[in-house]
Amino acid sequence: MAESITPPLRFGVVLFPGFQALDAFGPLDCINVLSWSENISLSLLASSLDPVTTKPPTLPGAVGQSVVPTHTFGTAPPLDVLLIPGGLGTMGDSPILQEIITFIQRVYPRLKHLITVCTGSGLAAQAGVLDGKRATSNKKVFQEIISLRPQVQWVYHARWVTDGNIWTSSGVSAGIDATLAWIEEVYGKEKAQDIANEIEYCRHENASRDPFAGLHAI
Amino acid sequence: MAESITPPLRFGVVLFPGFQALDAFGPLDCINVLSWSENISLSLLASSLDPVTTKPPTLPGAVGQSVVPTHTFGTAPPLDVLLIPGGLGTMGDSPILQEIITFIQRVYPRLKHLITVCTGSGLAAQAGVLDGKRATSNKKVFQEIISLRPQVQWVYHARWVTDGNIWTSSGVSAGIDATLAWIEEVYGKEKAQDIANEIEYCRHENASRDPFAGLHAI
């Protein structure tokens, strides 16, 4: 089947227990608003069709919210753009994380763009798709993430990093900036600024300026 | 039953079709992280227990996400803090919006704090709980919102406004700043900054500085 031409239309978002709410819903709110003026489809992908909670498995006292997937990793439709959020749920090892890593390996070759937020880059790294590429991640747990895959050219001081068709952002809120920068690249600067204005968000427009890199000893 | 003393513990969030994802999940991500160190309960309140979509009812081509409520407005537990997001779904009239307005009227007298984001202040205004109080709202649709309830002292230039126990924010992302300011008030400045650092968010700390007020003729 022929791939659609740019701009990309078919978005997918990976969900797993303990994904960070804002990692997903910052970028998703930008995509939601983008869909008010552009023809977009969105799949929410998970291990099963059961609602997926943001509650970290390691913090039973924490509160969370549950989001309804539209597809499993096995039934995911063809995608142009895959978004991988991070969160405490990316840490450690589990069958679901292994399933996600295998899914990334399977779909990456046909993606137009891959966007990761926060520790979501650790999942992409473990899938091998960041090997030899520049990428960033959450700054508080940067050491844990880079130890997952030394083959990646990890960049510490960055709000987000682009290398080829891969966009990796720093922690949580930085995903909004990376997504708006991606929208600017694909749909133009005016569209990106229109969406930032719609959500009353002051963009970080310099990918190299990282207000949080200095907080953590490295 | 005796009310718990400060700091507040029992959060509730109002959901309705077409709520803006980031209006809810910006503040909720702050509350989620707060719950990693503080004892908090959270209720997600809707007209029924069916998942609630962010997809605006007026934009059938838009994409959205569905969130699972924990309670209906009829079964809501006692609450200390109520968060009301905005979004295109607040505009117009519907039985669900009337149900929310009635719910706000019923629970407000026993709340410790009410927080609204974006056009969520329009729902609080229609419930009458903002009468005579200073409040703000989304800047793009400010005129529509203020016309709903002239008894409110609407403030145009504000990232957020506090009056008594009510916190109203400007559009979408401003809800993160209002929530972090509320956390600072209740839990202290260090806690608010810790959470901002955790989510790598650069706070707007001046409630009166509104980068988006000037965008729209008023």
Side-chain angles (χ1 to χ4, degrees):
Chain A
M1 199 174 83
E3 296 270 328
S4 66
I5 53 169
T6 52
L9 299 177
R10 300 168 298 183
F11 287 79
V13 180
V14 167
L15 301 177
F16 48 85
F19 75 94
Q20 183 85 14
L22 192 53
D23 283 25
F25 282 102
L28 274 172
D29 208 59
C30 299
I31 301 305
N32 287 350
V33 175
L34 182 65
S35 81
W36 299 355
S37 60
E38 302 289 339
N39 186 17
I40 283 167
S41 70
L42 173 69
S43 305
L44 302 172
L45 311 163
S47 184
S48 79
L49 292 178
D50 295 335
V52 182
T53 180
T54 64
K55 194 185 293 195
T58 51
L59 293 174
V63 300
Q65 301 77 46
S66 290
V67 178
V68 183
T70 60
H71 299 78
T72 68
F73 298 121
T75 65
L79 299 171
D80 296 309
V81 186
L82 184 66
L83 176 76
I84 308 173
L88 291 177
T90 63
M91 310 307 265
D93 196 10
S94 78
I96 289 178
L97 294 179
Q98 284 304 319
E99 196 181 353
I100 291 170
I101 290 164
T102 302
F103 176 74
I104 296 167
Q105 290 169 333
R106 177 163 66 82
V107 301
Y108 175 72
R110 281 187 284 194
L111 292 178
K112 292 196 176 68
H113 302 273
L114 174 66
I115 304 172
T116 74
V117 179
C118 195
T119 59
S121 58
L123 297 174
Q126 290 175 85
V129 302
L130 301 184
D131 285 1
K133 295 205 163 88
R134 298 171 72 252
T136 196
S137 191
N138 178 293
K139 294 304 142 49
K140 188 176 176 185
V141 294
F142 199 73
Q143 290 293 5
E144 289 101 305
I145 296 298
I146 68 176
S147 70
L148 293 170
R149 195 78 174 181
Q151 297 93 320
V152 181
Q153 296 179 39
W154 293 106
V155 181
Y156 184 62
H157 282 88
R159 185 72 172 166
W160 75 91
V161 169
T162 60
D163 191 332
N165 67 346
I166 299 183
W167 304 63
T168 54
S169 89
S170 190
V172 196
S173 307
I176 301 173
D177 295 308
T179 302
L180 289 170
W182 173 83
I183 289 171
E184 178 170 330
E185 166 113 342
V186 175
Y187 294 90
K189 189 172 179 65
E190 188 178 345
K191 180 72 76 177
Q193 193 54 51
D194 283 351
I195 293 173
N197 291 345
E198 187 74 35
I199 65 172
E200 298 194 19
Y201 182 74
C202 292
R203 296 178 64 185
H204 298 242
E205 296 190 67
N206 182 345
S208 303
R209 193 181 161 269
D210 185 347
F212 297 95
L215 281 181
H216 308 286
I218 192 115
Chain B
M1 200 173 84
E3 297 269 329
S4 67
I5 53 169
T6 52
L9 301 177
R10 299 169 300 183
F11 286 79
V13 180
V14 167
L15 301 178
F16 48 85
F19 75 94
Q20 183 85 13
L22 193 53
D23 284 24
F25 282 101
L28 275 172
D29 207 60
C30 299
I31 301 305
N32 287 351
V33 175
L34 183 64
S35 80
W36 299 354
S37 61
E38 303 289 340
N39 187 17
I40 284 167
S41 69
L42 173 69
S43 304
L44 301 173
L45 311 164
S47 184
S48 79
L49 292 178
D50 295 335
V52 183
T53 182
T54 64
K55 195 184 292 194
T58 50
L59 293 174
V63 300
Q65 301 78 44
S66 290
V67 178
V68 183
T70 61
H71 298 79
T72 68
F73 298 122
T75 65
L79 298 172
D80 296 310
V81 186
L82 183 66
L83 176 76
I84 307 172
L88 291 178
T90 64
M91 311 306 267
D93 195 12
S94 78
I96 289 179
L97 294 179
Q98 284 304 320
E99 196 181 353
I100 292 170
I101 291 165
T102 303
F103 177 73
I104 296 167
Q105 291 169 332
R106 177 161 66 80
V107 301
Y108 175 73
R110 280 187 284 195
L111 292 178
K112 293 195 174 68
H113 301 273
L114 174 66
I115 304 173
T116 74
V117 179
C118 196
T119 58
S121 58
L123 297 174
Q126 290 174 85
V129 303
L130 300 183
D131 285 0
K133 296 205 162 86
R134 298 172 71 251
T136 195
S137 192
N138 178 292
K139 294 304 143 50
K140 189 176 175 187
V141 294
F142 200 72
Q143 290 293 5
E144 289 100 304
I145 295 297
I146 68 177
S147 70
L148 292 169
R149 196 78 175 181
Q151 297 92 321
V152 181
Q153 296 179 40
W154 293 105
V155 180
Y156 183 63
H157 282 89
R159 185 71 173 164
W160 75 90
V161 168
T162 60
D163 192 330
N165 66 346
I166 299 182
W167 304 62
T168 54
S169 89
S170 191
V172 197
S173 307
I176 301 174
D177 296 309
T179 302
L180 289 171
W182 173 82
I183 289 172
E184 177 170 332
E185 165 113 342
V186 175
Y187 293 90
K189 189 173 181 64
E190 188 178 346
K191 179 73 75 177
Q193 194 53 51
D194 283 351
I195 294 172
N197 290 345
E198 187 75 36
I199 64 172
E200 298 194 18
Y201 181 75
C202 291
R203 296 178 63 187
H204 298 240
E205 297 190 66
N206 182 344
S208 302
R209 193 180 161 270
D210 185 347
F212 298 94
L215 281 182
H216 308 285
I218 193 114

